[in-house]
Amino acid sequence: MKIKKSILTCMLMLGFVSASAQETNPQDDFVFNPHWYLQVQGGAQYTLGEVSFSDLLSPNAQVTLGYNFDEVFGARLAVNAWQSKGGSDYDKDGKYSWKWKYVAPTVDLTVNLSNLFCGFNAQRFFNFSVFAGLGANIGFDNDEAATAQAQIDKLHQPLMYKGEKLNTPLSLLWDGTKPRFVGQAGIMADFRLSDAVSLGIEVAANTLSDHYNSKPAKNADWYFNALAGLKINLGETYVPWQPGMKQRKGILGRKTRVVEKIVEKEVPVEKIVEKKVYVDKIVEVEHIEPMRRDVFFTISSTRIDPTEDKKLDEIASYLKVYPNAKITVTGYADKGTGNAKINERLGKGRAQVVADRLVKQYKIDRSRIIVDSKGDTEQPFAENDKNRVTICIAE
């Protein structure tokens, strides 16, 4: 039976990882942003013992403050508390149970297995992680255990040796406040509700001194927590990738696969010469028609799609024909996606990546390029999606 359960557990874990892997695609637009998070959860605890399962269930709560250093590794301070239960099926005369309260702060290391094996995806719905750590369990209010011991002593006269009871199920009875070291390990499943909020579910196993439930067992005591609650990210979890970033790139999601194609009529570069006649001579005044090209981007991206390369070729040709011409490169972001802060970065990133391409690939002097960004403060197009653009005007 245990082997079947183990096989089933492994199959479920592989299923989770497989589901995560199916979400990946090759477009690298985003990088993970280190951030804090706060999590509040409630659930149940089972304290390992010899009486029935239901008799050892207790309510449980946890508050967690964590920090994700990168897309895989993080650390957290978790404060778990409420109560634990113990029980004794001492003999045919009765079954005894008791409960006590505790507070258990622990420091854990977390590892995001979905990002580790499948790559970072900013909009992955399901993330599977593991954690392990050490802390303290501070137990108190153990009066019910003392009451149970007194009831047992009324029915069975305990044997005494040097002031200690020998034949009693609660020979490790404690009172007052007792701190003990505790070690824990577990698994976490996060279901993304938005960029800021996710539903977090976790199961943890905790081990500590044999004295915890007041009963001698000649091995460590254990309790298991099952918790569910909301995780709130305290900051941006991802930012647009820009040239020069060294972080491991990731993807935003399948929306980044949408490519907007705008068909533009090619306008040949030409000179218009106006001749003015004076009394003694003819002066030719040269007028150069300005060139405009709109370089469009996919949603939340600062990466130039290959379909837009021809526009950059035309801009570079114009600037080489007219060596005195300059170009203004202005980046925009659509107001219907993200927020003002993210869109400000997107606008700057889109303008900068066009300017960098002109300098590095086409050898245009950077002094001839003016870089500007409007973010989402201005929307040059009525259609929302077209505002993911860098507008280039050369003259």
Side-chain angles (χ1 to χ4, degrees):
M1 189 64 181
K2 290 183 178 179
I3 295 175
K4 290 183 178 179
K5 288 184 178 178
S6 300
I7 295 174
L8 179 59
T9 302
C10 292
M11 292 178 66
L12 288 172
M13 291 176 66
L14 289 173
F16 288 147
V17 173
S18 176
S20 298
Q22 292 174 4
E23 297 179 17
T24 61
N25 68 58
Q27 188 159 343
D28 294 332
D29 286 333
F30 281 78
V31 294
F32 178 89
N33 190 47
H35 60 276
W36 292 91
Y37 64 86
L38 178 67
Q39 189 167 36
V40 179
Q41 297 171 298
Q45 178 186 109
Y46 169 68
T47 309
L48 193 63
E50 64 189 42
V51 295
S52 64
F53 179 84
S54 59
D55 289 335
L56 296 176
L57 287 178
S58 301
N60 192 240
Q62 182 168 287
V63 177
T64 303
L65 178 64
Y67 186 78
N68 289 322
F69 301 102
D70 57 31
E71 63 268 30
V72 175
F73 296 104
R76 69 177 197 172
L77 170 64
V79 180
N80 186 272
W82 204 323
Q83 70 178 30
S84 294
K85 284 186 176 181
S88 174
D89 197 2
Y90 185 56
D91 59 21
K92 63 181 181 179
D93 294 320
K95 179 173 61 177
Y96 305 92
S97 63
W98 57 93
K99 60 181 180 291
W100 64 98
K101 296 182 176 61
Y102 76 94
V103 175
T106 58
V107 176
D108 304 318
L109 173 68
T110 63
V111 181
N112 187 316
L113 298 183
S114 296
N115 285 341
L116 177 63
F117 293 110
C118 305
F120 172 60
N121 184 336
Q123 291 188 340
R124 178 180 288 120
F125 173 68
F126 172 79
N127 278 281
F128 180 74
S129 305
V130 294
F131 64 90
L134 295 171
N137 181 294
I138 305 168
F140 57 97
D141 198 8
N142 197 34
D143 297 338
E144 289 190 14
T147 301
Q149 178 63 69
Q151 292 173 343
I152 294 172
D153 288 346
K154 287 181 179 179
L155 297 175
H156 305 277
Q157 185 66 34
L159 298 176
M160 304 295 292
Y161 178 74
K162 294 184 179 181
E164 293 185 4
K165 298 176 182 178
L166 299 180
N167 62 333
T168 174
L170 278 74
S171 61
L172 300 180
L173 181 65
W174 54 270
D175 59 9
T177 300
K178 297 294 183 182
R180 301 178 177 91
F181 285 111
V182 62
Q184 75 163 348
I187 59 175
M188 296 187 294
D190 289 325
F191 298 87
R192 180 182 179 276
L193 304 179
S194 69
D195 284 350
V197 180
S198 60
L199 172 64
I201 298 174
E202 71 176 67
V203 177
N206 299 262
T207 182
L208 67 173
S209 164
D210 187 27
H211 289 69
Y212 187 58
N213 63 4
S214 301
K215 292 175 53 183
K218 296 183 180 179
N219 53 43
D221 285 338
W222 290 81
Y223 61 84
F224 304 88
N225 297 329
L227 299 159
L230 293 180
K231 176 188 287 186
I232 302 173
N233 295 317
L234 306 178
E236 297 176 0
T237 59
Y238 61 91
V239 294
W241 179 86
Q242 294 183 17
M245 285 188 171
K246 295 182 180 180
Q247 294 100 316
R248 180 181 176 186
K249 293 183 289 185
I251 56 176
L252 176 65
R254 293 195 180 274
K255 291 183 179 179
T256 60
R257 298 298 294 167
V258 178
V259 178
E260 300 150 336
K261 294 184 178 180
I262 307 298
V263 179
E264 295 183 352
K265 183 178 180 181
E266 184 174 354
V267 179
V269 176
E270 59 184 23
K271 296 182 180 180
I272 299 176
V273 178
E274 177 184 340
K275 293 184 178 182
K276 294 186 178 180
V277 180
Y278 293 84
V279 175
D280 57 346
K281 62 179 178 179
I282 297 176
V283 179
E284 292 186 355
V285 181
E286 185 180 71
H287 291 275
I288 303 174
E289 284 292 313
M291 168 185 277
R292 169 174 168 165
R293 289 294 182 268
D294 299 338
V295 180
F296 291 91
F297 293 79
T298 56
I299 184 171
S300 301
S301 174
T302 59
R303 177 178 176 272
I304 299 175
D305 194 273
T307 59
E308 305 294 289
D309 287 347
K310 184 178 179 182
K311 298 175 183 179
L312 295 176
D313 292 340
E314 294 170 348
I315 293 171
S317 297
Y318 181 97
L319 293 173
K320 290 178 180 179
V321 170
Y322 301 106
N324 293 324
K326 292 190 175 184
I327 183 169
T328 300
V329 179
T330 308
Y332 297 84
D334 67 292
K335 208 163 189 175
T337 306
N339 55 49
K341 189 175 181 180
I342 291 177
N343 289 338
E344 179 184 0
R345 291 183 183 176
L346 280 173
K348 289 180 180 178
R350 287 167 177 167
Q352 193 61 53
V353 77
V354 171
D356 290 345
R357 178 75 70 85
L358 291 173
V359 172
K360 295 177 182 178
Q361 181 172 332
Y362 298 99
K363 310 304 179 184
I364 303 300
D365 194 298
R366 194 174 289 276
S367 64
R368 300 174 63 191
I369 304 172
I370 301 170
V371 179
D372 192 14
S373 172
K374 303 298 182 184
D376 62 8
T377 60
E378 294 183 14
Q379 301 288 273
F381 295 99
E383 184 178 339
N384 178 72
D385 293 355
K386 289 185 179 180
N387 292 307
R388 305 160 190 157
V389 66
T390 294
I391 296 178
C392 308
I393 301 177
E395 55 185 344

